[in-house]
């Protein structure tokens, strides 16, 4: 139990800091409520239109894949820093890692997840039967 006291002190410090920030915000914050207080803020411009617009799923897919492959670059950067210490086994492991990423990229490319433009239909005489 004596090993957990730093964790307990840390948790109490976090809770105390949260209570302090909320208390100061409540004490020093604005007390009056204007009609525009609960309206969404759009850079000082009066909001117009509906907030519920449809955005293509392709946008989200590309964004998620960018984040995933960008994070993989962080792992490769860490490997590049210690490439001399890793030696040949590290090179083999990094090559396998890059190969798995390449297979994943080819897979999502073949699925058409990277296509942004409108889908073209094949002419009727060229469709697969």
């Amino acid at each position: 139990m004596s090993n957990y006291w730093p964790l307990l002190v840390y948790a109490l410090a976090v809770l105390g800091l949260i209570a302090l920030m909320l208390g100061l915000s409540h004490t020093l914050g604005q007390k009056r409520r204007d009609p525009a207080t609960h309206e969404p803020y759009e850079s000082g411009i009066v909001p117009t239109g509906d907030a519920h617009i449809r955005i293509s799923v392709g946008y989200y897919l590309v964004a998620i894949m960018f984040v995933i492959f960008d994070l993989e670059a962080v792992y490769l950067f860490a490997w590049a820093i210690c490439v001399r210490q890793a030696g040949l086994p590290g090179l083999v492991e990094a090559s396998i890692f890059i190969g798995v990423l390449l297979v994943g990229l080819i897979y999502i490319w073949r699925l058409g997840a990277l296509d942004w433009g409108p889908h073209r239909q094949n002419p009727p005489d060229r469709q697969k039967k």
Side-chain angles (χ1 to χ4, degrees):
M1 186 67 180
S2 64
N3 293 335
Y4 293 112
W5 73 266
L7 183 61
L8 180 64
V9 169
Y10 178 74
L12 290 175
V14 167
L15 291 174
L17 183 63
I18 291 171
L20 177 72
M21 288 191 305
L22 287 175
L24 285 175
S25 168
H26 180 71
T27 304
L28 301 175
Q30 180 179 356
K31 300 291 185 217
R32 62 188 169 95
R33 300 282 184 210
D34 292 331
T37 299
H38 298 292
E39 291 211 12
Y41 180 72
E42 294 184 7
S43 302
I45 301 171
V46 177
T48 59
D50 189 15
H52 302 287
I53 58 173
R54 291 184 178 256
I55 298 177
S56 172
V57 174
Y59 170 77
Y60 294 111
L61 287 175
V62 171
I64 289 171
M65 286 183 281
F66 173 77
V67 168
I68 290 171
F69 284 104
D70 194 42
L71 288 175
E72 307 307 334
V74 170
Y75 292 120
L76 288 176
F77 182 74
W79 168 78
I81 289 175
C82 66
V83 68
R84 289 188 183 166
Q85 290 86 7
L88 185 61
L91 177 64
V92 170
E93 291 171 4
S95 299
I96 292 171
F97 183 71
I98 292 171
V100 169
L101 288 177
L102 187 62
V103 168
L105 181 63
I106 291 170
Y107 175 73
I108 62 174
W109 193 349
R110 294 284 309 237
L111 283 179
L114 300 177
D115 294 337
W116 274 77
H119 296 288
R120 295 184 305 181
Q121 302 248 344
N122 289 338
D125 59 338
R126 292 190 180 188
Q127 287 182 347
K128 293 181 182 179
K129 296 180 181 181

